[in-house]
Amino acid sequence: TQFAEASLKHFCVLEEVALTKLFPTAKCGEEVRKLAKGEAMQVLEGPKEETYPPEMRAKVKASSDSAVGWITVKKDNMKPWTAIYTCKVAAPLQTALAADGADAVRELEAGETVELLEGPAEEGGALRMRARADKDGAVGWVTIRDAEGKRFFES
């Protein structure tokens, strides 16, 4: 007499795994909870093969430290480089790369645009560039980002 049969729908978890609300996991991401190692479970549907859309990848080199590696290219994580920068807050246009002791050519206003001519260059922890103001053609050095990380210009 046979009292029990082997089930093809019951399994035991071998290592912790996420239990998600919807299929496929790439779209939902909402986790119900983790299934613990050794926990019993019953398969209600499937198994089904999960496919992911292809990703665009690019090999890049960072300008700041020449680090090389691969990134996933998305429309919201990168944009083409431009030599045009917009002033975020009023900032001085100065005569020299070193801000200390440099004379002011004039004050740039928030919203004003400049064109990169030279740089960017590190100077005393700040990132600076030589630029030409679109408004009047005045040329000088400006601080893109100060030593504390505050940004004065965006490209």
Side-chain angles (χ1 to χ4, degrees), residues 65-136:
D65 63 358
S66 297
V68 174
W70 290 86
I71 64 165
T72 299
V73 178
K74 298 178 183 175
K75 61 183 169 188
D76 62 345
N77 74 346
M78 58 190 284
K79 64 180 180 179
W81 179 85
T82 177
I84 305 300
Y85 285 73
T86 303
C87 187
K88 292 176 63 177
V89 295
L93 182 64
Q94 298 175 305
T95 56
L97 171 60
D100 292 339
D103 294 328
V105 175
R106 73 173 182 85
E107 189 79 9
L108 296 170
E109 301 168 5
E112 199 170 335
T113 57
V114 297
E115 180 185 3
L116 170 75
L117 299 176
E118 186 180 331
E122 287 278 341
E123 174 59 36
L127 186 63
R128 294 187 38 95
M129 69 175 169
R130 187 166 168 261
R132 176 185 305 114
D134 288 340
K135 181 177 179 178
D136 60 4

Side-chain angles (χ1 to χ4, degrees), residues 141-155:
W141 290 86
V142 296
T143 300
I144 300 170
R145 183 194 70 238
D146 69 14
E148 289 76 43
K150 181 180 177 186
R151 291 192 68 89
F152 293 86
F153 288 84
E154 290 287 336
S155 62

